[in-house]
Amino acid sequence: MKTYSISEVAKILNLTVYTLRYYDKEGLMPFIERTSSGIRMFKETDIDALRIIECLKSTGMPIKEIKNFIDWCSDGDSTLQQRYNMFIERKATVEAQMEELKKTLELIEHKCFYYETALEAGTEDIHKKNKIEITY
Amino acid sequence: MKTYSISEVAKILNLTVYTLRYYDKEGLMPFIERTSSGIRMFKETDIDALRIIECLKSTGMPIKEIKNFIDWCSDGDSTLQQRYNMFIERKATVEAQMEELKKTLELIEHKCFYYETALEAGTEDIHKKNKIEITY
DNA sequence: TTAATACTTAGAGTTAACTCGAGGTCAATG
DNA sequence: CATTGACCTCGAGTTAACTCTAAGTATTAA
C-alpha cells in the first residue's frame, strides 16, 4: 500500500508541512503511522480524513471541536449518535452561512452598480440627495 | 437629525462597544462626529457605513484593507475606479466562497447519510470493505 | 564518507481581531 | 452636591491558528 510523506500530503492538500504538524500536535491525526525512525507515513485513508478535517474547518469549526470529532471516531460505534448530530448541526450552520453570503453578494452587486454609474457620470454626486454627505 | 450612542449602535449591529471603538481606533470610522465633550454621535448614514464594513468583513476582507476603502471614500471621486475594482473583486471572491461552501455542504450531507445508515445498523462497519480500518 | 536533503521535536514568535481593565470625564438625579 | 451610569482613552491581555527556528536524525547520491 502506497504511503505519502508529509511534504507530499502538504502539496496534495495545499497546506504547509507546518500546518500538518500543528494539526498532529493538536491531536487531529492520531491515526498517522510512523516509520521505525519516527517519520510520518500518510495512507490514502489518512488523506481522506484530512479532507474531512479541511471540510469541517471550512465551515468555521474550531480545531478543538474537530478534535472532539476525531476522538469520537477513535471511540467507535458508541459515539455514532454524537457524530451524526454534529454533522446535522454543521449542515445547518453551512446553510446559514450560504444565506448570509447571498445577502452579502446582493449588497456587493448593488455597490458594483453604484460605482459603475458613478464612474460613467464621473462623480459620486449623482447618488446623493444632499451633495454635502459622503456615502461610504 | 437623530443620533445614536455607541451602545445603541452596538445593539443595532449586534457588535460590542469594544469592537466599535476598535474599528474607530483602526481608522474605519473617520466620519463619526463627537459632542463637545468627545462622545461619539452616530448618524443613520454612519450606521449604513458600518453595515458596509460588516459586509466587507463577512467576505473575509481584513480590516486594513477595509481601511483603504474608507480612505478612498474620503478622498472623493478620484478613487471611484479603485472602489469599483474592489467591489468587482469582492464579488468574485464571494462567488468563489459560495462554490466552496456548496462543495462543503455536499460532503457534509454525504456524512449525514453515512451516519444515518450507520445508526440504523448500529455500527459503522457496514460502510467498510475492510472492517479493520477506521473511517473518519 | 561526506554532503545534501528531508524528515523530526520543542518551543518561541507572529498576526488578526478582538477584549478588557484602570483611571478619568460628564450629565442627570435624589 | 454627591452618586450613578454611560461615556472616554490608553495600553495591556487574550485567543486561535498558524509559522518558524534551532538543534538533531535519517536516507540517499556522488
Side-chain angles (χ1 to χ4, degrees):
Chain A
M1 198 208 298
K2 187 181 189 300
T3 61
Y4 301 83
S5 73
I6 195 165
S7 60
E8 283 171 328
V9 175
K11 202 164 280 173
I12 291 166
L13 298 176
N14 206 28
L15 296 170
T16 68
V17 292
Y18 300 130
T19 302
L20 285 171
R21 285 201 269 253
Y22 166 67
Y23 287 175
D24 198 8
K25 214 189 298 191
E26 294 300 309
L28 262 43
M29 290 146 65
F31 43 79
I32 305 297
E33 286 173 32
R34 307 275 190 132
T35 64
S36 56
S37 58
I39 290 173
R40 292 174 187 84
M41 294 186 307
F42 293 76
K43 300 183 292 297
E44 289 284 359
T45 56
D46 298 339
I47 295 174
D48 289 342
L50 279 165
R51 275 192 246 269
I52 298 293
I53 288 170
E54 286 307 288
C55 168
L56 291 173
K57 212 158 57 76
S58 75
T59 72
M61 193 179 223
I63 274 156
K64 281 186 184 173
E65 274 177 54
I66 299 176
K67 183 181 167 9
N68 290 341
F69 166 68
I70 294 293
D71 290 345
W72 287 336
C73 290
S74 309
D75 288 347
D77 287 337
S78 64
T79 63
L80 283 175
Q81 187 71 56
Q82 275 123 303
R83 289 185 267 164
Y84 175 65
N85 294 348
M86 190 205 76
F87 278 107
I88 291 290
E89 203 181 287
R90 277 300 106 187
K91 185 167 174 305
T93 70
V94 171
E95 281 163 353
Q97 283 166 11
M98 289 181 90
E99 273 311 299
E100 248 325 282
L101 262 196
K102 227 193 235 169
K103 279 183 209 155
T104 297
L105 186 59
E106 271 167 36
L107 217 177
I108 285 177
E109 278 169 345
H110 175 267
K111 280 290 169 178
C112 286
F113 173 74
Y114 174 100
Y115 282 110
E116 210 169 288
T117 49
L119 270 170
E120 272 165 31
T123 177
E124 223 179 332
D125 292 352
I126 51 157
H127 292 296
K128 293 174 189 156
K129 309 121 211 163
N130 176 344
K131 300 197 182 210
I132 294 151
E133 284 175 32
I134 296 177
T135 306
Y136 288 86
Chain B
M1 201 207 296
K2 188 181 189 299
T3 63
Y4 300 83
S5 74
I6 195 165
S7 61
E8 283 171 327
V9 174
K11 200 163 281 172
I12 291 166
L13 297 176
N14 208 26
L15 296 169
T16 68
V17 293
Y18 299 130
T19 302
L20 285 171
R21 285 202 270 253
Y22 166 68
Y23 288 175
D24 198 8
K25 214 189 301 193
E26 294 299 308
L28 262 45
M29 290 146 65
F31 42 80
I32 305 296
E33 286 173 34
R34 308 276 190 128
T35 64
S36 56
S37 59
I39 290 173
R40 292 174 187 84
M41 294 185 305
F42 294 77
K43 298 182 292 296
E44 288 286 358
T45 55
D46 298 339
I47 295 174
D48 289 342
L50 280 164
R51 274 192 246 270
I52 297 293
I53 288 170
E54 285 308 286
C55 169
L56 292 172
K57 210 157 59 76
S58 75
T59 73
M61 194 180 223
I63 275 157
K64 281 185 186 175
E65 273 177 54
I66 299 177
K67 184 182 167 8
N68 290 341
F69 167 69
I70 294 294
D71 290 345
W72 287 336
C73 290
S74 307
D75 288 347
D77 287 336
S78 63
T79 63
L80 282 175
Q81 187 71 56
Q82 275 122 303
R83 288 184 266 164
Y84 176 65
N85 294 348
M86 189 204 79
F87 278 107
I88 290 291
E89 202 182 288
R90 277 300 107 188
K91 186 167 173 305
T93 70
V94 171
E95 281 163 353
Q97 283 167 10
M98 288 181 90
E99 273 312 298
E100 249 323 282
L101 262 196
K102 229 193 235 169
K103 279 184 209 154
T104 297
L105 186 60
E106 272 166 34
L107 217 178
I108 286 177
E109 277 169 347
H110 175 267
K111 280 290 168 178
C112 285
F113 174 74
Y114 173 100
Y115 282 110
E116 209 170 290
T117 51
L119 269 170
E120 272 165 30
T123 176
E124 226 179 331
D125 291 352
I126 49 157
H127 293 295
K128 293 176 190 156
K129 310 120 211 163
N130 177 343
K131 302 199 181 211
I132 292 149
E133 286 176 29
I134 294 177
T135 306
Y136 287 87

